[in-house]
Amino acid sequence: PQVLSSRNDIRDCSTDPPYLPPTATNTTARLAVLRGIMQTHGVHAYIVPSTDAHMSEYISERDARLGWLTGFTGSAGTAVVMQDKAALWTDSRYWTQAERELDCNWELQRTTSIESIGMWILKAVPAEGNVSLDPFLFSIDTWNSYSRALHGSGWILLPLETNLVDQAWGDQRPLPSSSEIYNLPAEFTGSIWQEKVAGIRQQMEQHMQRPTAVLLSGLEETAWLFNLRGDDIPYNPVFYSYTLLTNTTISLFVEVSRLSAAARESLSSGCPGPLCVELQDYGQVSAHLRCYTQGNVTVWLGTEYTTYGLYSIIPQEKLLEEKYSPVMMAKAVKNTHEQEMLRAAHVRDAVAVIQYLLWLEKTVPQGQVDEFSGAQHIDALRWAQEHSRGPSFQSISASG
């Protein structure tokens, strides 16, 4: 047999039997289970994104539904599954990777446009049917784009709160994180969380539409607001949570048992009163929001981080929509102390990088370094610096 270099070792579905590289995943059984579940729910096409319920750029293993279903491990993509065919859409960064990781159950579509996904669905099954998706995994804009792409076709865009991939994945799906959610000490923040809450409430009062609540879905929003950190997503110091902040109450939706004793004490220090944080179970956010919006209220949210699932709970006349929430905007403006901390962190990191460059100068001529061992070494140098919590993404240490 022809020996392929690793650079060219991609699938070939035109041969009999097809050639699959060792990096490809056999998805036949997974697709069969999902298709059985789709039939039960009367779903003709099911859309699977690469995002989580907070529109995070990076996701946890538990949320890697696209990766589990297709075998494709790139950070961006969309899959559509029908009874007789399945396709993956991704951008040019990942075409070669997809050809190495997909088996022949999948068509690779070299585009990312929602129009192209809609066209593929409409061509694949000319008859009318249900196109379904989990509304808690799609942004408001993306949902509206799918709605437009299928408009007038006779196809129905059907939100299903039961995630069908999760059902197919079953008990093989990774468990949620159980690690501790901890306080970021005041020496790093320059502002206690009570001051941040007061600032957001002041913005609510000054806004022309006088919103009664702010809904936070982006994970970094809640982490910033309460000066809390976690490690639910690799390379990101965040934890799964939502916040509903009103003029007089604060509800934090989180896995309560994971909060450190100090974090819990900090959040309850203002109880009872308007600076008392009510701790509620992470899964209760939809029910709580549904209940809250029965009243005479206006909910302010940032559309970039809110899923269609949460957005659709709030009646249109009770919504105040802006691209980013007031918390995301406040977080973007660093106080004097945060600026000092940023500069100090960059100095410490520069020390690690200079140590690394010096080590490379000495070690590369000996022929002992490859990109992987280089990455391990610079990670170790960074960990040795004071206050290090690890890198912000996997080290890209060298070339060739």
Side-chain angles (χ1 to χ4, degrees), residues 57-76:
E57 184 178 359
Y58 302 99
I59 57 170
S60 69
E61 279 186 21
R62 181 174 170 79
D63 285 317
R65 297 173 179 90
L66 185 78
W68 175 79
L69 181 66
T70 66
F72 170 68
T73 59
S75 68

Side-chain angles (χ1 to χ4, degrees), residues 115-116 118 131 146 153 207 210 271 273 282 298 323 344 364 370 380 391:
E115 292 73 21
S116 137
V131 179
Y146 278 113
S153 65
H207 199 287
R210 299 299 290 267
C271 297
Y282 172 76
T298 301
K323 191 165 184 176
V364 168
D370 58 27

Side-chain angles (χ1 to χ4, degrees), residues 92-141:
S92 57
R93 290 174 299 168
Y94 293 119
W95 292 345
T96 304
Q97 180 178 336
E99 293 286 13
R100 288 179 186 163
E101 293 182 331
L102 298 175
D103 65 6
C104 292
N105 288 311
W106 295 91
E107 295 174 23
L108 175 61
Q109 302 290 326
R110 289 174 162 79
T111 169
T112 55
S113 80
I114 289 170
E115 292 73 21
S116 137
I117 298 172
M119 290 291 292
W120 185 87
I121 291 170
L122 296 177
K123 272 186 195 165
V125 181
E128 296 168 4
N130 291 332
V131 179
S132 201
L133 41 74
D134 179 343
F136 290 92
L137 293 180
F138 288 83
S139 71
I140 300 159
D141 283 349

